[in-house]
């Protein structure tokens, strides 16, 4: 299948997927949101840095960046590499209003979260990295907010306890409209998020931050430091996908 030719904004597809148990991507019969064949085509982030989950060639190493300056978050959950079908689906949500792909993606992330926290404490609070208000206006919605809402629903269905609380007003605010990360060089990306975010609201002791994709990790690191400064004792990072380094 050519993933780039996926059609978008199909209300009927959502209907079929929910009520007729069809795969959200290819319409084949499916037990879950995706059929076996689409599931097998997902770019799992198998070999990665122990701490920041940067895709690497060998498993369970600590990458050069983490050896030099270990990011302040406690753990990072990043089950996929930002490539192939995952990249197509996320782009489709962001740029083509393919919002019906949110459900299969958050469904996949919730499976990985349940596994990750099977022997760990769940965070008390879930925040998301927001887009700047002008970008939200341009696209008509904030994709990380929509994903967080769906993710919480998925977790609620699957957990026998309440999932982390999502505050009515997300305390993380984007105050500076930086250029889109994907249009910047690595050097520019590392520079750009400085002071782009601010906090406004009550922060729990153990917080999780959600973002759809982590590229250099500088945005997440920036937000983590803000939260720690505001009194959080532990910050966990939840992303759907991690961008592989260009040289990988
Ligand atoms: Zn399928
Ligand atoms: Zn690392």
């Amino acid at each position: 299948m050519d993933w780039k030719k996926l059609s978008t904004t199909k209300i009927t597809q959502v209907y079929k997927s929910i009520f007729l148990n069809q795969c959200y991507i290819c319409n084949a019969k499916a037990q879950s949101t995706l059929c076996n064949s689409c599931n097998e085509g997902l770019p799992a982030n198998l070999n990665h840095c122990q701490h920041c989950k940067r895709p690497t060639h060998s498993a369970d190493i600590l990458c050069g960046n983490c050896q030099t300056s270990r990011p302040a978050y406690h753990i990072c959950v990043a089950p996929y590499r930002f490539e192939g079908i995952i990249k197509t689906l996320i782009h489709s949500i962001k740029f083509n209003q393919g919002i019906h792909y949110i459900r299969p993606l958050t469904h996949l992330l919730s499976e990985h979260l349940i596994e990750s926290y099977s022997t760990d404490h769940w965070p008390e609070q879930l925040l998301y990295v927001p887009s700047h208000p002008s970008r939200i206006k341009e696209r008509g919605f904030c994709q990380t907010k929509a994903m967080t809402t769906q993710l919480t629903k998925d977790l609620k269905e699957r957990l026998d306890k309440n999932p982390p609380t999502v505050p009515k007003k997300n305390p993380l605010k984007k105050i500076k409209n930086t250029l889109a990360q994907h249009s910047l060089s690595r050097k520019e990306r590392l520079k750009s998020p400085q002071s782009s975010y601010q906090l406004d609201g009550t922060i729990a002791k153990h917080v999780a931050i959600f973002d759809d994709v982590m590229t250099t990790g500088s945005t997440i690191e920036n937000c983590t430091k803000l939260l720690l400064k505001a009194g959080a004792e532990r910050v966990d990072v939840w992303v759907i996908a991690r961008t592989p380094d260009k040289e990988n």
Side-chain angles (χ1 to χ4, degrees):
M1 172 183 282
D2 181 356
W3 306 117
K4 300 220 163 61
K5 286 190 183 151
L6 287 173
S7 60
T8 55
T9 60
K10 282 192 196 164
I11 303 278
T12 48
Q13 190 170 359
V14 178
Y15 172 82
K16 282 180 185 170
S17 311
I18 295 174
F19 297 104
L20 306 176
N21 293 331
Q22 287 187 346
C23 172
Y24 270 73
I25 295 172
C26 73
N27 280 343
K29 204 93 191 126
Q31 294 302 315
S32 188
T33 47
L34 298 184
C35 71
N36 288 343
S37 139
C38 287
N39 241 322
E40 281 162 17
L42 297 171
N45 188 10
L46 297 176
N47 290 340
H48 52 68
C49 166
Q50 283 169 5
H51 185 63
C52 73
K53 300 291 156 71
R54 178 190 306 279
T56 52
H57 291 298
S58 42
D60 272 347
I61 57 144
L62 202 58
C63 77
N65 287 16
C66 288
Q67 284 180 35
T68 320
S69 167
R70 193 183 167 95
Y73 45 80
H74 189 79
I75 57 159
C76 171
V77 179
Y80 298 99
R81 283 176 275 125
F82 188 54
E83 58 189 32
I85 184 171
I86 290 283
K87 189 172 182 173
T88 307
L89 295 181
I90 291 177
H91 270 179
S92 169
I93 294 166
K94 266 188 192 171
F95 304 116
N96 300 317
Q97 301 249 342
I99 48 171
H100 56 285
Y101 293 130
I102 289 178
R103 194 162 180 259
L105 287 178
T106 56
H107 193 84
L108 290 165
L109 179 60
S110 71
E111 278 174 0
H112 286 269
L113 288 169
I114 287 167
E115 204 185 308
S116 296
Y117 287 96
S118 59
T119 54
D120 198 355
H121 294 289
W122 281 87
E124 300 147 72
Q125 197 178 39
L126 173 61
L127 315 182
Y128 57 87
V129 177
S131 307
H132 188 271
S134 64
R135 191 151 293 146
I136 296 172
K137 205 171 163 194
E138 197 179 289
R139 289 185 187 152
F141 76 118
C142 173
Q143 83 273 3
T144 45
K145 181 181 181 181
M147 286 172 171
T148 304
T149 306
Q150 183 59 46
L151 179 63
T152 311
K153 274 188 203 158
D154 291 334
L155 289 173
K156 215 170 197 166
E157 273 170 27
R158 290 158 164 230
L159 289 174
D160 47 14
K161 61 189 206 87
N162 280 334
T165 312
V166 180
K168 270 204 176 87
K169 255 176 79 187
N170 187 42
L172 267 174
K173 304 262 173 289
K174 187 156 193 193
I175 47 167
K176 212 163 92 187
N177 194 8
T178 46
L179 290 167
Q181 290 274 299
H182 59 85
S183 67
L184 302 176
S185 70
R186 181 180 161 81
K187 215 171 154 190
E188 286 168 327
R189 273 199 304 266
L190 286 168
K191 260 193 340 203
S192 81
Q194 294 304 321
S195 321
S196 298
Y197 295 88
Q198 75 178 24
L199 270 179
D200 177 18
T202 313
I203 307 301
K205 295 277 176 229
H206 183 185
V207 190
I209 322 177
F210 169 83
D211 203 354
D212 47 0
V213 182
M214 196 201 295
T215 305
T216 61
S218 47
T219 298
I220 287 285
E221 181 62 354
N222 204 266
C223 295
T224 302
K225 285 183 174 159
L226 274 177
L227 289 164
L228 292 172
K229 222 170 138 187
E233 286 168 6
R234 172 174 165 177
V235 178
D236 297 350
V237 171
W238 298 356
V239 297
I240 295 167
R242 190 76 165 87
T243 309
D245 286 344
K246 284 232 160 62
E247 60 273 21
N248 275 4

